[in-house]
Amino acid sequence: MSATANRGEWSSRTGFILAAAGSAIGLGNIWRFPYAAGENGGGAFVLIYLLFVVLIGVPVLLAELSIGREAEKNPVGAFKALVPDKFWPYVGGLGVMTGFGILAFYSVIAGWTLSYLFSALSGDFGTAITAAESGAIFTELIGNPFKAILLTASFLLLTILVVRGGVSGGIERATKILMPLLFLILVILAVRAVTLPGAMQGLEYLFKPDFSKLTTGVVMSALGQALFSMSLGMGAMITYGSYFPKSENIHFAGASVAVFDTLIAILAGVIIFPALFTAGVEPDAGPGLVFVVLPTIFNTLPAGSFFAVAFYALLAIAALTSTISLLEVVVSYFVDERGWNRSKAAWLLGGACLVLAVPSALAQGGNDYLTSFLGEGLDFLSVQNIIWGNYSLSLGALLICVFVGWRWGTTKAIASLEVGGFKLPAAGLWVILIRYVCPLAVAVILAFIIYTQQYL
Ligand code: PHE
């Protein structure tokens, strides 16, 4: 067997699109996007986020895929394989660490979705529920330290079990049918939401930019959100690109992932903001936003209990396909570079992640110190979300641009993207974006953050 056959490969392009879309689509779209938009004043944030998806997200996605495809390695090994320098593998190392850091808070939120699934199954969302009641349910759940930790552990366990199974056996099979179903449910909920009494107000909040609300912090969050949502800046797409069949069109696949991912985030916004204004919840309610708001609309739908169950089941699965990719990056490093066996790596690293997840699990009321870690609205979980999800990903993306644009070289990257005979459309534009526009934009934003000290 060749080395490639040993590492596994996606069985088809659709397999890749679904698995990469599975990584991209997750709580980032449905939980994080509305929460970030709500905290950052709505429309102006959303506009900048969209701009960043096109100008930074898509070019960086292609850069990561080109690296992974050429090197056929995990992020650390990939940099090692492409250039002899000592420095670059550390960028891969930063990615592996970031994956671990994100997984440690992401699995907490993912655990909440499990709990909501159980509540939905027991019919809790079939009857009318006000925002206050919904908020009380949420507070009760996440404030219970035992429950929060147990749910996080359960979610990590599910992730470990899939990652242990390897690339196409575990990951691909899990995503194939379920992502399209999630999309369908979201469309149904969106149709419901835009006919609610607060719809106009919600849509205006989401789409009408109020530039007076624009600060360096808002721009930073929009950048972080664009990267986080597309799973960029930490090597997930390097790893996934490394499993991509040589006979298929990788840039088309990448572009499809970007489109699906962004559509789902916008759909989530179209559901949440009308519902939020209808129910009278503040947009900046923080990490609990989606969990408090959504239960108020299920009962206004015919067959509301059914939709609630379907929605939380699919959300949990969407989260799982993302946690799989997070753990996969870490595991593939230990398997490829350190010679661990896959099963041992999945168990040990997943277990270690649980340890780091505990303080985040206790940060929503379970423990007072962690709940107001750095002050009002800056609980331990939110701080992790900002450090790993905004700063670490931005730094990673910046370094990846410099690597592809200036060190490894765009000619080689384009050749890697065009393997299989598929010409990269607008290759000249991509070169300008990856060499100049993206790294400069990210560097300027990071510099401004340091200068204005709007870190959090
Ligand atoms: N993109 C995922 C989401 O939106 C989260 C993620 C970030 C996954 C980074 C992998 C890497 O939920």
Side-chain angles (χ1 to χ4, degrees):
M1 253 200 295
S2 72
T4 322
N6 273 329
R7 300 185 70 241
E9 203 177 74
W10 305 107
S11 60
S12 65
R13 184 178 79 197
T14 345
F16 169 86
I17 296 187
L18 288 168
S23 166
I25 297 161
L27 298 171
N29 310 61
I30 292 162
W31 159 73
R32 200 183 196 262
F33 172 73
Y35 145 47
E39 277 191 337
N40 289 294
F45 168 90
V46 174
L47 188 71
I48 296 175
Y49 156 76
L50 289 174
L51 205 73
F52 285 162
V53 165
V54 176
L55 287 182
I56 298 176
V58 174
V60 172
L61 174 61
L62 292 174
E64 286 201 28
L65 291 176
S66 73
I67 296 174
R69 190 184 216 191
E70 180 66 22
E72 295 191 342
K73 291 246 157 59
N74 67 87
V76 177
F79 286 106
K80 266 193 210 158
L82 297 183
V83 294
D85 318 357
K86 281 239 158 22
F87 171 71
W88 291 103
Y90 286 104
V91 177
L94 174 72
V96 172
M97 261 174 58
T98 308
F100 196 79
I102 293 178
L103 183 59
F105 72 82
Y106 198 96
S107 51
V108 174
I109 317 292
W112 299 350
T113 66
L114 285 183
S115 168
Y116 271 71
L117 175 59
F118 299 140
S119 299
L121 281 168
S122 53
D124 285 4
F125 305 129
T127 47
I129 182 169
T130 64
E133 286 161 347
S134 174
I137 295 174
F138 178 73
T139 313
E140 201 281 316
L141 158 74
I142 57 169
N144 179 327
F146 175 72
K147 259 196 207 167
I149 294 173
L150 187 71
L151 289 165
T152 307
S154 312
F155 210 90
L156 278 170
L157 181 67
L158 287 174
T159 310
I160 292 168
L161 291 176
V162 182
V163 170
R164 248 186 85 234
V167 176
S168 99
I171 304 177
E172 201 175 308
R173 219 178 302 150
T175 25
K176 244 177 191 153
I177 331 151
L178 298 161
M179 287 303 111
L181 270 182
L182 174 66
F183 191 78
L184 188 72
I185 297 262
L186 287 173
V187 171
I188 295 169
L189 289 176
V191 169
R192 167 70 269 211
V194 297
T195 50
L196 289 170
M200 261 333 277
Q201 217 184 336
L203 294 176
E204 251 181 38
Y205 185 84
L206 187 63
F207 292 121
K208 206 166 153 198
D210 171 359
F211 290 107
S212 69
K213 297 215 175 109
L214 216 54
T215 61
T216 312
V218 171
V219 176
M220 182 68 230
S221 303
L223 174 65
Q225 180 57 27
L227 297 172
F228 187 94
S229 191
M230 290 166 74
S231 306
L232 297 174
M234 51 147 289
M237 291 300 170
I238 294 182
T239 310
Y240 273 23
S242 77
Y243 302 120
F244 196 82
K246 297 282 183 204
S247 56
E248 301 280 357
N249 183 338
I250 201 169
H251 37 86
F252 176 77
S256 316
V257 169
V259 170
F260 285 136
D261 184 67
T262 310
L263 263 180
I264 294 214
I266 297 295
L267 262 180
V270 167
I271 298 166
I272 301 297
F273 288 97
L276 171 154
F277 283 105
T278 308
V281 176
E282 288 301 320
D284 62 353
L289 181 69
V290 180
F291 290 90
V292 173
V293 171
L294 276 179
T296 63
I297 62 167
F298 287 119
N299 70 77
T300 69
L301 276 169
S305 308
F306 165 77
F307 279 113
V309 172
F311 174 78
Y312 287 113
L314 291 166
L315 183 59
I317 291 161
L320 183 63
T321 55
S322 300
T323 55
I324 289 166
S325 72
L326 288 162
L327 186 59
E328 176 63 24
V329 168
V330 187
V331 164
S332 72
Y333 164 69
F334 280 88
V335 170
D336 288 356
E337 303 299 308
R338 305 260 170 135
W340 289 24
N341 91 29
R342 184 167 262 279
S343 182
K344 168 181 152 189
W347 281 110
L348 278 181
L349 298 161
C353 198
L354 177 60
V355 177
L356 200 78
V358 166
S360 284
L362 298 179
Q364 305 293 318
N367 173 292
D368 288 344
Y369 172 67
L370 295 165
T371 303
S372 52
F373 188 58
L374 293 184
E376 170 75 20
L378 289 172
D379 59 90
F380 189 81
L381 188 150
S382 299
V383 173
Q384 298 297 304
N385 180 19
I386 293 168
I387 294 177
W388 302 110
N390 288 348
Y391 293 113
S392 201
L393 292 182
S394 301
L395 185 61
L398 170 62
L399 292 166
I400 286 166
C401 291
V402 174
F403 177 76
V404 171
W406 300 96
R407 179 63 187 92
W408 183 44
T410 47
T411 317
K412 287 184 187 144
I414 291 174
S416 162
L417 292 171
E418 290 185 341
V419 166
F422 305 94
K423 273 242 142 312
L424 179 66
L429 176 64
W430 178 71
V431 171
I432 295 172
L433 290 171
I434 217 70
R435 294 190 74 166
Y436 304 101
V437 179
C438 304
L440 270 178
V442 178
V444 167
I445 295 167
L446 288 173
F448 253 95
I449 280 287
I450 294 168
Y451 179 70
T452 57
Q453 302 192 356
Q454 293 182 14
Y455 306 114
L456 295 166

